[in-house]
Amino acid sequence: MASWSPDTPCSCDCFVSVPPASAIPAVIFAKNSDRPRDEVQEVVFVPAGTHTPGSRLQCTYIEVEQVLKTHAVILSRPSWLWGAEMGANEHGVCIGNEAVWTKEPVGEGEALLGMDLLRCGSCPPLWAAQRIQEGARNISNQLSVGTDISAEHPELRTHAQAQGWWGGQGTFDFAQVFSLTQQPVRMEAAKARFQAGRELLQQQKGGITAEVMMDILRNKESGICMDSGGFRTTASMVSILPQDPTQPCIHFLTATPDPSRSVFKPFIFGAGAAQAPQVLSPTFGAQDPIRTVPRFQTQVDRRHTLYREHQKALGLMDREQDQGQQLRQKQRDLEQEGLEAARGLLAGEWAPPPQELGGLFQAFVERESQAYA
């Protein structure tokens, strides 16, 4: 894990497009994970499972009670923790997290991280939700649900009133009530990214595809694709969620930093779905710096195989212009193959057996590795 301090400019951006904003009859989800520069993010496949009643589950810092049944998931996560920055389950539910700063105090002791909550599929103690039924929306590192609240915690308003943040009468604006009066600098930067992301979505409204979302995630001018000092976009994800329940959901993940120089590779849940070992970081058991107390007193090398190969590729792109351009073209060609496969699958022009679909991500990871060899 990279070093972190309260002043670190945590950031991320999530995007969603719902017909008629999407060019196809599907919801399209996208997210960049912006993290400390040298942090490694892995892609983890966890199959569905059943669990013994009363069993416990070890999360990043604490244990919680395990549920009886869990669905299969594909996760993109910082390799030192249990939770995830973003991911999807086998039923087409996608989720991504955003760091926000509110009037609520930060707890002193160890607890579930926001990324643990994401993997658990649970919410923080107080919450508000807005249902998006059409169009395109984005969120950054700020509260964005205002007065249009579709669902909320039953004690949300009484808590705000008890704290003196809301008078109890008139319109209740969640973002206005719970946001800090004096925003930190990092929140001001989030406002600019949020506005830029909204404009990019509006420019493509009615024609938004997975490829369009990938281009937005690669936009460096806006700061959406981050590469500033000790921070950068460490992993990215785009998902196609068809409205037709007979069609498969297709999730594209990079497993490597800087989407402008990475390959989005397709993952589909199926009979052959399994962990791709090249994108799984090494484990350190009881000697892991996160497991020993006090935590994070030493550092370990968490780079997975594809991450190491990609690092060498980035170095070549920076040093050798001609070879770098050739390598970047190989990346683009491979990604286009994945996008064409997705289009053919959704159009009914390609119908491979489930075993082949489940192994699609592994096949693309292997081909990307070959390109870097």
Side-chain angles (χ1 to χ4, degrees):
M1 178 189 176
S3 59
W4 185 88
S5 74
D7 296 322
T8 300
C10 300
S11 56
C12 285
D13 294 278
C14 289
F15 302 86
V16 68
S17 174
V18 181
S22 303
I24 59 175
V27 173
I28 302 174
F29 169 86
K31 183 180 189 298
N32 269 352
S33 171
D34 300 330
R35 301 283 301 171
R37 188 174 195 85
D38 59 348
E39 186 178 76
V40 178
Q41 199 152 145
E42 60 184 354
V43 173
V44 179
F45 170 73
V46 183
T50 55
H51 308 281
T52 305
S55 61
R56 306 288 292 175
L57 173 66
Q58 177 64 53
C59 300
T60 302
Y61 296 133
I62 67 170
E63 286 188 352
V64 297
E65 185 177 348
Q66 177 63 283
V67 296
L68 297 180
K69 182 180 179 180
T70 51
H71 302 303
V73 293
I74 188 74
L75 306 171
S76 185
R77 72 179 189 187
S79 57
W80 61 272
L81 52 74
W82 176 82
E85 272 279 289
M86 50 207 173
N89 71 16
E90 60 188 309
H91 301 291
V93 176
C94 288
I95 188 169
N97 83 318
E98 299 285 341
V100 294
W101 291 263
T102 71
K103 295 174 183 176
E104 286 291 296
V106 177
E108 297 269 337
E110 293 185 338
L112 292 174
L113 296 176
M115 285 177 275
D116 291 341
L117 291 172
L118 180 145
R119 182 170 174 180
C120 289
S122 56
C123 296
L126 295 170
W127 55 271
Q130 181 182 0
R131 185 179 184 185
I132 307 301
Q133 295 181 286
E134 62 177 26
R137 287 288 302 273
N138 63 307
I139 57 175
S140 294
N141 304 108
Q142 57 185 11
L143 297 180
S144 56
V145 177
T147 58
D148 188 4
I149 300 174
S150 306
E152 64 186 71
H153 189 281
E155 298 176 8
L156 182 70
R157 303 192 189 205
T158 55
H159 176 78
Q161 192 172 0
Q163 297 297 317
W165 301 336
W166 181 55
Q169 300 294 324
T171 302
F172 180 81
D173 186 313
F174 174 69
Q176 187 177 65
V177 169
F178 278 85
S179 293
L180 292 168
T181 304
Q182 294 294 325
Q183 300 285 0
V185 174
R186 68 196 93 169
M187 293 285 279
E188 294 302 321
K191 291 179 182 178
R193 289 199 331 275
F194 171 76
Q195 181 62 32
R198 184 168 64 176
E199 291 173 0
L200 289 168
L201 286 174
Q202 288 299 316
Q203 290 169 13
Q204 300 289 340
K205 197 171 182 180
I208 297 175
T209 61
E211 196 165 8
V212 167
M213 285 295 200
M214 292 174 189
D215 288 341
I216 291 175
L217 295 184
R218 287 171 166 147
N219 190 291
K220 289 196 172 182
E221 183 180 0
S222 63
I224 292 170
C225 181
M226 181 167 285
D227 191 6
S228 59
F231 239 60
R232 70 173 169 182
T233 300
T234 55
S236 305
M237 173 178 170
V238 172
S239 294
I240 304 172
L241 314 173
Q243 292 181 321
D244 183 348
T246 65
Q247 293 184 324
C249 298
I250 306 170
H251 311 282
F252 292 86
L253 303 105
T254 61
T256 54
D258 190 351
S260 70
R261 298 191 292 176
S262 284
V263 178
F264 283 91
K265 298 167 284 293
F267 174 90
I268 299 175
F269 288 96
Q275 176 65 53
Q278 299 93 330
V279 294
L280 188 65
S281 294
T283 57
F284 302 91
Q287 303 307 311
D288 195 308
I290 193 176
R291 290 280 160 255
T292 56
V293 180
R295 304 186 195 275
F296 305 117
Q297 299 304 297
T298 58
Q299 291 188 341
V300 291
D301 188 351
R302 301 184 188 275
R303 293 176 298 170
H304 52 70
T305 302
L306 186 64
Y307 187 99
R308 290 173 181 271
E309 294 170 341
H310 184 257
Q311 277 189 310
K312 293 179 182 178
L314 292 186
L316 181 62
M317 290 179 192
D318 291 335
R319 292 190 312 271
E320 304 289 341
Q321 184 175 359
D322 290 342
Q323 286 183 283
Q325 287 179 347
Q326 292 174 12
L327 185 54
R328 185 67 191 103
Q329 187 61 52
K330 287 182 179 179
Q331 288 182 318
R332 287 193 289 263
D333 290 345
L334 182 59
E335 184 174 282
Q336 280 300 315
E337 281 191 46
L339 288 165
E340 286 296 332
R343 283 191 279 267
L345 188 64
L346 296 177
E349 299 167 356
W350 180 52
Q355 193 77 19
E356 184 177 339
L357 281 181
L360 198 60
F361 183 73
Q362 173 69 55
F364 272 80
V365 168
E366 290 175 356
R367 291 183 61 193
E368 183 179 359
S369 293
Q370 293 167 4
Y372 298 151

